[in-house]
Amino acid sequence: MKLISCRTLSQKVLQNLIALRFFTSSSVVKEEYLEGPLKVGHFATLKKSFTQLDVNVFSELSEDRNPLHLDVDFCSKTLFSKPIVHGFLVSSLMSAVAGCHLPGPGTIYLSQTLNFKKPVFPGDEITAKLEVLEVQQQKRLVKLSTSCWNQKGEVVIDGDALVMVPSSKVRKVQNNK
């Protein structure tokens, strides 16, 4: 069976899918961050399962139509043997944790290192974790350890990030589902 290329999806269909929030949801698994200043050791995690539809839409939005993500026949002849999820789609969970949970709304990403350790396949359940390594209060900078692992407990991506936190508390925006 060959996957439907995202090229066959019109922009209108994509807009409708996005408007309907047709994509898989994610859940915050654990947040160890209480009101008050960030401290070394505070962490938050987010869990999400990626679908082939998530991959197809990301391919369209990013214009990365590498057959490693979309073409079953092509993938059957590769080291992965089946389509893989884009590494940058998986790593975007780290941005979601930083901007929505820890440090939270208003956080600005300044840098991120990524080490891709293992492939992620559609259907894998991925947990992303950010943990505070260092806080520079005066400069509002926070260094974070970043990692993602699959349902087997295997690390698929790791690295670290530097973010700037807002000077005052920012209200979380609620999704209108």
Side-chain angles (χ1 to χ4, degrees), residues 4-166:
I4 297 172
S5 168
C6 58
R7 291 181 209 175
T8 63
L9 295 174
S10 70
Q11 287 290 6
K12 187 71 172 164
V13 170
L14 284 174
Q15 289 169 352
N16 288 338
L17 291 172
I18 291 167
L20 293 171
R21 289 177 177 73
F22 188 76
F23 309 102
T24 59
S25 62
S26 56
S27 60
V28 174
V29 177
K30 183 155 188 168
E31 261 183 89
E32 189 169 293
Y33 170 47
L34 307 173
E35 289 297 317
L38 283 171
K39 293 186 177 145
V40 172
H42 282 165
F43 70 90
T45 59
L46 180 71
K47 193 177 279 191
K48 178 174 176 61
S49 293
F50 290 98
T51 67
Q52 188 60 49
L53 180 59
D54 294 330
V55 172
N56 290 356
V57 171
F58 186 80
S59 289
E60 185 66 27
L61 293 173
S62 67
E63 298 196 21
D64 179 354
R65 297 181 183 96
N66 184 333
L68 276 174
H69 309 297
L70 303 167
D71 188 328
V72 173
D73 294 335
F74 175 84
C75 291
S76 69
K77 299 172 188 92
T78 70
L79 117 104
F80 303 119
S81 74
K82 57 186 177 180
I84 60 172
V85 179
H86 298 78
F88 278 96
L89 177 55
V90 176
S91 63
S92 72
L93 290 179
M94 296 175 199
S95 178
V97 175
C100 298
H101 306 289
L102 180 86
T107 296
I108 300 169
Y109 243 99
L110 299 176
S111 66
Q112 170 77 58
T113 61
L114 296 171
N115 304 301
F116 299 96
K117 305 284 190 175
K118 290 196 173 271
V120 173
F121 300 100
D124 282 354
E125 183 177 71
I126 302 299
T127 302
K129 178 181 180 182
L130 271 61
E131 183 173 346
V132 176
L133 295 176
E134 181 183 330
V135 179
Q136 296 178 34
Q137 293 282 8
Q138 299 278 8
K139 296 181 180 181
R140 300 184 355 242
L141 299 177
V142 178
K143 184 175 181 182
L144 302 163
S145 166
T146 59
S147 59
C148 291
W149 62 90
N150 63 21
Q151 66 278 2
K152 298 174 188 171
E154 301 168 322
V155 174
V156 297
I157 302 173
D158 68 12
D160 50 52
L162 182 65
V163 299
M164 180 182 287
V165 296

